Amino acid sequence: MSRVEISTESARTAEDDRASRRRRWRRIRRIGYGVGGALVGLPMIAFWLAYLLMDVRSPQEVLSSLDKTVTLRYTDGSPLLRILPGDGDRRFVPYAKVPKKLREAIVATEDPTFWENSGFDPTGIGRALFTGFGGGSGITQQYIKKSTGDEDATITRKLAELVLATKITQQQSKEKIFESYVNIISFGRNTFGPAAAMNAFFGRPLDDSMTWSEATFLAGMIQSPSVHDPAASGEAHATKRWTYVRDKLVARGYVRGVEASAMKYPGAEIRPPAQTRERLSYDQYHVKQQVLAELEREGFPLSRLQQGNLTVQTTLDQGAQAAALAAVKNRLKNEPKELRGGVVSVDPSNGAVRAYDGGDNGVHDYASTPRPLGSAFYPFTLAAGLRAGASPDERAAEPEKINFFGEDFTYPKLCPQKCTLRTAMASSANTPYIALAQRLGPDAVSAAARDAGIPESVDGSPTLREKDGYLIGSGIAVGRYPLRLLDVAGAYATFAAGGLRATPHLVDKVLNQNGEVVWQRDDHPAPAFSPDEGTSRRIADQVTSTLSAGRGPALRTGEFQYADSSDNQDAWAVGYTSRLTTAVWVGSDEDRKLVDANGEKLTGSTLPADIWRRLMNRRS
């Protein structure tokens, strides 16, 4: 073949290749256009179909559907208590009758762009698309969630919410949307709408006499009503939430200057919850509040429970609960009237709370009120030492005076002549454990307590820290930082479970009217003190052997001193077997010197230990 023929053939081949590539790219472009069109067109078609077919119920329909009873059951399915809808707690209020201050407080906190936006938050929608979780819902979206009863954090629900938010914004005025929203949301205490809330918390009708402080409080309740109620979480938490809303009002220009500085948390005006409607004792009320708060965190607020006529199966054991209530009541019956007590029992294998007694002395829940643990904190210091290579049987110094972070601690010598960490624990000697904390450093001690199960924060307030929320001071060495009875029981349960940590909880599952499970807790215990389960077990077992002295159940009693005196203000007994962990606290509503009926100084080895033994002997 000549060179010209070869050149011509090469040119034809090259042209064929180019033509083939052009045909292939045309096919790719057509496919791309088709896919692109489908990606754009199908969602648009789906959107408009949903737009035409879906609708939002009126607030009156939603309110009528809330007239259902929620049942709480013990772990064996037997009845625990019922949450009844009460008369007059779902009153509809027209937009014009909602005080302007309350409207502005709600908008400033829940949806600052409400008056301008198109009904939805693009950031929240994007987050749902990429993560599968909800978030960022404004007022219109919140109304849709409440009206449909669908609050699952799914992409499908978020997209349906987007459709309905668009539709309702086009069909109704912002004032009408706000009116619908504010009438079906819960403000806590089994109330729906601002009129019921104003009456429940302040005992007054809803009108323009409402103060900025009252409006701020009610607006703050919406996010998590069962948690933000001061009767459930205490004044400190409620004040923090109120301050958050107040700051939003100031930052967004609703309140200025003298008016802002005059605002004060209205604690003195907030009325205690009236429980006569539900015929609950205070100890039942505390259980109810804890269960509702836990369910709220899992996406099941009271309104959803009521709309679905759902049943909640708790982890509480009927016999253990009755025994806990009786043990506290009977043991404190003839003691000084200022003494209070609380009990929490936890199953170490899974964190299930088997008994929860917050006391029957009013709305104050002693099982969830942080109190200083005192010398009952030392097992966490020991765990930190064991993790760093210490031994329970190593020699331990017991100086009468020791300085830690610039603070002097003076205690009498109680340890036997051969003082070790084990004998120091048994004899309630203090300075060997303060010295151990000094040697390890406060961060290591704090980390061990957290790994055992003490949470980083409770209701937004850091634990195991100074009041600034950051520093760990000398208080870590003597158990000065307040901790909740519930968390202490859960953390000690980690020792009982051989170093496996489970989160303490009161809710097992939620069931619908047909008895089908719609939600169930699915936690799995994990090694606490080391990623290696064997190492974590070794540390936990050594703590257990130190607390039990090689015989019987592991028990630690302890006290926290009152001010600079030698008297005590808090007394604890915390201990466990492999099957049950129980924490008992005895103290008072305020920091004060406490004595028993015999005039003897209150200690953990007296009243708390008596209550603890009554409960644990029942289970053995």
Side-chain angles (χ1 to χ4, degrees):
M1 184 179 290
S2 70
R3 185 173 300 172
V4 172
E5 290 174 320
I6 293 173
S7 176
T8 303
E9 182 66 25
S10 297
R12 278 199 299 268
T13 301
E15 181 60 31
D16 289 343
D17 287 343
R18 284 193 293 273
S20 177
R21 284 197 298 271
R22 284 194 295 270
R23 286 193 298 272
R24 187 164 59 249
W25 278 110
R26 278 197 297 271
R27 285 196 299 270
I28 292 172
R29 281 197 299 273
R30 289 192 194 105
I31 293 171
Y33 294 150
V35 171
L39 288 175
V40 174
L42 290 177
M44 289 182 66
I45 293 170
F47 180 93
W48 287 112
L49 283 174
Y51 186 97
L52 293 171
L53 296 174
M54 297 174 70
D55 244 319
V56 182
R57 292 188 299 165
S58 72
Q60 288 85 353
E61 288 180 284
V62 176
L63 290 176
S64 65
S65 74
L66 293 172
D67 195 13
K68 296 186 176 76
T69 297
V70 177
T71 302
L72 271 57
R73 299 188 181 279
Y74 286 106
T75 189
D76 62 1
S78 58
L80 169 58
L81 59 89
R82 295 187 304 158
I83 302 174
L84 306 175
D87 293 333
D89 65 354
R90 296 182 300 281
R91 285 168 281 171
F92 185 86
V93 182
Y95 175 83
K97 296 292 185 181
V98 180
K100 182 180 179 184
K101 290 172 182 173
L102 181 59
R103 296 198 303 258
E104 292 181 344
I106 291 173
V107 169
T109 309
E110 296 297 316
D111 190 355
T113 66
F114 170 70
W115 297 109
E116 297 83 31
N117 66 40
S118 299
F120 60 88
D121 176 10
T123 304
I125 297 293
R127 188 181 305 119
L129 288 171
F130 284 104
T131 68
F133 294 99
S137 294
I139 284 175
T140 309
Q141 292 169 275
Q142 288 183 50
Y143 171 63
I144 289 164
K145 279 192 292 187
K146 300 296 182 185
S147 65
T148 60
D150 184 1
E151 301 192 37
D152 290 330
T154 62
I155 294 176
T156 303
R157 193 273 294 168
K158 203 71 180 177
L159 291 175
E161 188 179 289
L162 170 62
V163 172
L164 289 172
T166 303
K167 185 172 185 176
I168 197 173
T169 303
Q170 292 177 348
Q171 293 179 344
Q172 297 182 16
S173 67
K174 287 287 188 175
E175 289 79 5
K176 185 65 177 176
I177 293 170
F178 185 91
E179 175 187 89
S180 300
Y181 160 78
V182 81
N183 276 287
I184 68 168
I185 55 173
S186 173
F187 287 83
R189 298 191 182 180
N190 203 20
T191 64
F192 294 88
M198 189 66 185
N199 180 65
F201 286 100
F202 297 104
R204 300 203 347 257
L206 185 74
D207 55 37
D208 288 334
S209 69
M210 172 181 278
T211 67
W212 272 118
S213 293
E214 291 166 342
T216 300
F217 176 84
L218 291 182
M221 291 295 297
I222 295 170
Q223 184 213 44
S224 190
S226 296
V227 174
H228 296 323
D229 188 343
S233 300
E235 290 290 321
H237 170 82
T239 303
K240 185 173 182 179
R241 177 63 183 169
W242 181 90
T243 303
Y244 171 84
V245 178
R246 192 264 326 262
D247 291 348
K248 293 291 184 185
L249 280 164
V250 172
R252 285 159 184 162
Y254 290 104
V255 184
R256 297 184 177 89
V258 175
E259 200 172 33
S261 60
M263 291 174 64
K264 305 293 181 187
Y265 173 72
E269 288 79 45
I270 297 171
R271 301 177 66 174
Q275 288 300 305
T276 53
R277 183 175 65 243
E278 298 177 46
R279 295 186 177 89
L280 296 183
S281 62
Y282 282 114
D283 45 56
Q284 289 177 312
Y285 172 74
H286 299 143
V287 168
K288 185 196 86 169
Q289 290 300 99
Q290 285 298 317
V291 167
L292 290 180
E294 192 173 307
L295 284 167
E296 222 168 72
R297 292 191 292 269
E298 299 296 339
F300 284 86
L302 179 59
S303 57
R304 185 178 183 183
L305 297 173
Q306 288 177 315
Q307 280 185 272
N309 200 16
L310 301 177
T311 295
V312 179
Q313 185 159 308
T314 72
T315 61
L316 295 174
D317 177 273
Q318 187 171 9
Q321 181 71 3
L325 300 179
V328 174
K329 182 178 180 180
N330 294 337
R331 186 61 187 87
L332 297 184
K333 181 170 53 179
N334 298 316
E335 295 296 329
K337 67 180 187 310
E338 65 268 16
L339 290 183
R340 305 284 185 262
V343 172
V344 175
S345 292
V346 174
D347 183 337
S349 67
N350 57 15
V353 175
R354 300 306 185 196
Y356 185 98
D357 179 15
D360 197 20
N361 299 94
V363 296
H364 202 121
D365 182 353
Y366 302 108
S368 67
T369 301
R371 299 295 301 178
L373 195 55
S375 49
F377 185 82
Y378 292 164
F380 302 122
T381 307
L382 176 61
L386 296 171
R387 183 154 62 180
S391 165
D393 299 306
E394 67 183 35
R395 293 297 294 265
E398 189 190 15
E400 289 189 29
K401 185 175 182 180
I402 187 169
N403 184 280
F404 183 43
F405 271 17
E407 183 175 359
D408 288 327
F409 296 97
T410 303
Y411 291 99
K413 290 193 173 187
L414 299 173
C415 209
Q417 187 170 4
K418 184 184 177 183
C419 188
T420 66
L421 294 176
R422 189 186 303 277
T423 59
M425 187 76 75
S427 61
S428 296
N430 290 284
T431 55
Y433 279 92
I434 298 173
L436 179 60
Q438 184 185 54
R439 189 174 93 203
L440 297 168
D443 288 328
V445 176
S446 174
R450 296 209 184 287
D451 290 342
I454 300 299
E456 287 278 350
S457 63
V458 172
D459 297 330
S461 298
T463 61
L464 298 178
R465 293 289 189 273
E466 294 294 324
K467 291 182 179 180
D468 63 9
Y470 297 99
L471 294 177
I472 309 175
S474 55
I476 193 81
V478 290
R480 183 182 295 151
Y481 301 132
L483 299 174
R484 298 190 304 176
L485 193 59
L486 177 65
D487 298 325
V488 172
Y492 266 70
T494 299
F495 299 133
L500 294 177
R501 181 184 64 245
T503 303
H505 57 275
L506 283 83
V507 180
D508 178 27
K509 60 182 112 176
V510 178
L511 305 100
N512 65 17
Q513 298 177 70
N514 299 319
E516 300 164 333
V517 175
V518 297
W519 177 87
Q520 183 158 19
R521 183 167 294 282
D522 187 26
D523 291 343
H524 300 284
F529 304 110
S530 167
D532 177 64
E533 189 172 328
T535 301
S536 188
R537 173 172 287 279
R538 175 185 60 78
I539 292 171
D541 288 349
Q542 285 183 305
V543 172
T544 298
S545 70
T546 302
L547 294 176
S548 65
R551 60 184 184 278
L555 172 63
R556 175 63 186 175
T557 62
E559 305 81 33
F560 185 74
Q561 289 181 319
Y562 171 61
D564 293 327
S565 72
S566 60
D567 297 301
N568 298 322
Q569 67 176 45
D570 296 277
W572 296 74
V574 194
Y576 51 88
T577 65
S578 60
R579 295 189 301 146
L580 192 71
T581 300
T582 295
V584 180
W585 167 86
V586 174
S588 178
D589 287 323
E590 56 190 20
D591 296 346
R592 56 178 295 175
K593 165 188 172 180
L594 295 175
V595 297
D596 61 20
N598 298 318
E600 298 293 330
K601 178 168 65 174
L602 177 68
T603 66
S605 60
T606 54
L607 298 180
D610 288 346
I611 295 170
W612 186 88
R613 290 189 184 94
R614 291 184 188 195
L615 295 174
M616 297 301 285
N617 288 340
R618 173 191 172 275
R619 303 290 291 184
S620 60

